[in-house]
Amino acid sequence: MRILLTNDDGIEAEGLACLERIARALSDDPGSSSAKRGSSNEIWIVAPHEEQSGKGRGMTLTEPLRVNRFGERRFSVTGTPTDCIVLAIGDLMPDKPDLVLSGVNRGHNVGEDCSYSGTVAGALQGMAFGIRSIALSQGLERFHDEVNAHWETAEAFAPPIISRLLAQSWEPGVVMNLDFPARPPEQGKEVE
């Protein structure tokens, strides 16, 4: 399976590293189609060069976009998550991906947050290209001035949830949005 990863927190974000581990775990998941074929996923990363949180579905129209190569199938773009998906599919990837994963966002994306979220926008742009697309966000635990993201929670729960979602048929124009609670994985009680 060819998977395209993006985010709105930037190419160096901890959540993007978490998302890459999630994508790699999909081929290890006994329920995933990659595991059944005995192959690993082809993972492409095209993410903003700098944080683009709150940019929604914005596209860069009047300024040049620059693409930086960080390694094989790993690029940053001086633009929004929408720009990243458009450039990845139109110019950087030899073939269209089978799945777009956007995130893992640092902070939840629920309710009104979804309307301006760059993370959700990345998934929406994948959906606009007719690709199954999922936005992922990790809630934040706050203690006075400290903020903690339990990346291990998203990492533990995302692969089996994504595998279950991919086993279902989706109507055109559907995008999935997964939010993980601001707590360690052992405190996760159920999937809703």
Side-chain angles (χ1 to χ4, degrees):
M1 177 174 14
R2 184 176 297 109
I3 305 173
L4 173 58
L5 309 182
T6 196
N7 71 356
D8 70 355
D9 291 327
I11 190 75
E12 299 295 334
E14 195 171 352
L16 186 60
C18 176
L19 186 63
E20 186 173 2
R21 291 188 298 270
I22 289 167
R24 294 200 187 289
L26 287 173
S27 54
D28 297 334
D29 181 352
S32 77
S33 56
S34 293
K36 288 177 187 165
R37 290 192 314 264
S39 64
S40 62
N41 293 322
E42 179 183 301
I43 298 170
W44 288 75
I45 298 171
V46 183
H49 190 69
E50 296 176 342
E51 184 172 346
Q52 297 289 313
S53 294
K55 299 284 176 112
R57 296 282 312 269
M59 288 183 76
T60 304
L61 299 175
T62 60
E63 301 195 17
L65 290 171
R66 302 212 189 306
V67 176
N68 298 302
R69 177 180 225 124
F70 280 77
E72 186 182 0
R73 299 191 304 261
R74 184 179 189 90
F75 302 87
S76 75
V77 174
T78 58
T80 67
T82 299
D83 293 327
C84 292
I85 298 297
V86 170
L87 282 171
I89 293 169
D91 296 308
L92 299 173
M93 297 178 74
D95 297 300
K96 197 169 157 178
D98 303 301
L99 176 65
V100 171
L101 299 177
S102 184
V104 173
N105 192 63
R106 188 174 188 275
H108 64 262
N109 275 309
V110 296
E112 185 64 25
D113 298 343
C114 295
S115 66
Y116 55 81
S117 166
T119 300
V120 174
L124 286 169
Q125 189 59 45
M127 179 265 306
F129 280 119
I131 302 163
R132 289 181 173 201
S133 300
I134 303 171
L136 298 92
S137 301
Q138 176 60 55
L140 300 176
E141 187 175 45
R142 299 175 193 276
F143 293 109
H144 304 289
D145 291 338
E146 286 185 38
V147 177
N148 184 27
H150 289 283
W151 301 114
E152 69 276 13
T153 302
E155 212 168 316
F157 289 102
I161 292 170
I162 292 169
S163 292
R164 285 175 56 197
L165 289 172
L166 294 177
Q168 307 298 313
S169 61
W170 296 14
E171 293 294 323
V174 169
V175 67
M176 299 292 177
N177 183 34
L178 303 179
D179 279 89
F180 301 96
R183 60 186 63 195
E186 61 273 9
Q187 292 180 13
K189 296 183 175 134
E190 62 184 321
V191 175
E192 215 176 276

